[in-house]
Amino acid sequence: MNTNLEIAFHNMDSSDALHGYITERAEKLERMYDRLVGIRVAVEKQHRQHRTGNVFDVHIELMVPGQDIVVSRKPAKAAEKYANPDARTSVRDAFEAAERQLIEYKQKQRGDVKPHDPEQPGYITQVNGDHGFLRTNTGTTLYFHANSCINVTLDDLREGDPVKYVETTGDTGPTASKVWRASGSDTELART
């Protein structure tokens, strides 16, 4: 394996079998994308729960040119899906999610994913403290944090303001990772 692989186990002993399985899955990711710079995998055994038993939290960070792809499989999902979740099952689910995100990243790099229509911006629906929500041109609602605002502050945005955005998919679902005021909008002209 040419890619730098870091594996960490927390609140549990290292297992040769699990270490080998993680290495196999990492090699598969490397074959899928040869520009992969590094992979970090952390497997953490959560405290034993009476109803769900031992559950494992798995984090995978893929270092690729331009950004990092982070996958986190929370214990609740494994507990819902399996009666007796084990570390291997949790690792498998996390690597499957990592594969999906890596494929999506490759498609974006090649230009296979169509960008949002710039002529139809989203609109601010709500601003609360350090975050807000916007409605996309397709009618879905996206969360965004104040840190996502570009060339505008969250305090400057009002309900109904047209904005452009970059939609990303995180562990909690779709969010807007970047939000900026749509250029040439009536609101922008009135405030200048």
Side-chain angles (χ1 to χ4, degrees), residues 73 75-85 89 92-93 96 100:
R73 280 292 171 243
K77 292 189 180 198
E80 291 169 7
K81 194 170 181 181
Y82 307 103
N84 296 309
T89 302
R92 182 197 66 213
D93 289 350
E96 287 174 355
R100 287 189 300 272

Side-chain angles (χ1 to χ4, degrees), residues 136-148:
T136 67
N137 55 16
T138 60
T140 58
T141 301
L142 299 178
Y143 165 89
F144 67 95
H145 190 271
N147 296 340
S148 303

Side-chain angles (χ1 to χ4, degrees), residues 146 148-157 161 163 179-181 191:
S148 303
C149 295
I150 299 174
N151 295 330
V152 66
T153 65
L154 192 62
D155 294 334
D156 294 337
L157 295 174
D161 283 355
V163 292
V179 176
W180 64 98
R181 186 171 282 131
R191 291 186 180 161

Side-chain angles (χ1 to χ4, degrees), residues 93-157:
D93 289 350
F95 269 97
E96 287 174 355
E99 289 170 7
R100 287 189 300 272
Q101 288 191 22
L102 189 58
I103 289 168
E104 188 176 296
Y105 174 77
K106 285 174 55 175
Q107 290 172 339
K108 285 180 184 176
Q109 269 193 322
R110 286 193 315 246
D112 293 348
V113 178
K114 183 179 175 185
H116 293 287
D117 184 0
E119 299 303 315
Q120 297 179 355
Y123 294 91
I124 298 295
T125 59
Q126 190 176 3
V127 177
N128 296 324
D130 65 348
H131 67 277
F133 296 90
L134 64 90
R135 179 146 337 255
T136 67
N137 55 16
T138 60
T140 58
T141 301
L142 299 178
Y143 165 89
F144 67 95
H145 190 271
N147 296 340
S148 303
C149 295
I150 299 174
N151 295 330
V152 66
T153 65
L154 192 62
D155 294 334
D156 294 337
L157 295 174

Side-chain angles (χ1 to χ4, degrees), residues 23 52 59 90 134 140 186 190:
T23 303
T52 58
H59 299 277
S90 297
L134 64 90
T140 58
D186 294 337

Side-chain angles (χ1 to χ4, degrees):
M1 182 167 179
N2 297 329
T3 303
N4 182 26
L5 174 63
E6 296 176 26
I7 302 172
F9 297 97
H10 302 285
N11 299 329
M12 61 186 285
D13 294 328
S14 176
S15 159
D16 289 338
L18 189 56
H19 193 281
Y21 182 64
I22 291 170
T23 303
E24 283 177 30
R25 295 303 299 251
E27 288 171 349
K28 182 178 179 184
L29 289 175
E30 186 180 43
R31 287 189 302 271
M32 288 175 63
Y33 187 69
D34 61 355
R35 295 181 60 203
L36 198 57
V37 177
I39 303 172
R40 287 190 191 120
V41 180
V43 182
E44 181 178 5
K45 183 178 180 182
Q46 300 293 309
H47 298 288
R48 183 168 176 80
Q49 302 293 319
H50 175 68
R51 290 183 163 197
T52 58
N54 290 331
V55 290
F56 297 87
D57 194 2
V58 180
H59 299 277
I60 300 173
E61 183 178 357
L62 305 176
M63 284 146 278
V64 295
Q67 69 181 42
D68 290 348
I69 299 171
V70 179
V71 176
S72 181
R73 280 292 171 243
K74 298 294 182 192
K77 292 189 180 198
E80 291 169 7
K81 194 170 181 181
Y82 307 103
N84 296 309
D86 61 359
R88 186 179 173 99
T89 302
S90 297
V91 167
R92 182 197 66 213
D93 289 350
F95 269 97
E96 287 174 355
E99 289 170 7
R100 287 189 300 272
Q101 288 191 22
L102 189 58
I103 289 168
E104 188 176 296
Y105 174 77
K106 285 174 55 175
Q107 290 172 339
K108 285 180 184 176
Q109 269 193 322
R110 286 193 315 246
D112 293 348
V113 178
K114 183 179 175 185
H116 293 287
D117 184 0
E119 299 303 315
Q120 297 179 355
Y123 294 91
I124 298 295
T125 59
Q126 190 176 3
V127 177
N128 296 324
D130 65 348
H131 67 277
F133 296 90
L134 64 90
R135 179 146 337 255
T136 67
N137 55 16
T138 60
T140 58
T141 301
L142 299 178
Y143 165 89
F144 67 95
H145 190 271
N147 296 340
S148 303
C149 295
I150 299 174
N151 295 330
V152 66
T153 65
L154 192 62
D155 294 334
D156 294 337
L157 295 174
R158 303 284 179 257
E159 186 175 325
D161 283 355
V163 292
K164 294 188 180 180
Y165 57 93
V166 174
E167 184 176 340
T168 59
T169 303
D171 291 335
T172 59
T175 62
S177 63
K178 296 179 183 176
V179 176
W180 64 98
R181 186 171 282 131
S183 62
S185 68
D186 294 337
T187 308
E188 182 180 288
L189 296 174
R191 291 186 180 161
T192 56

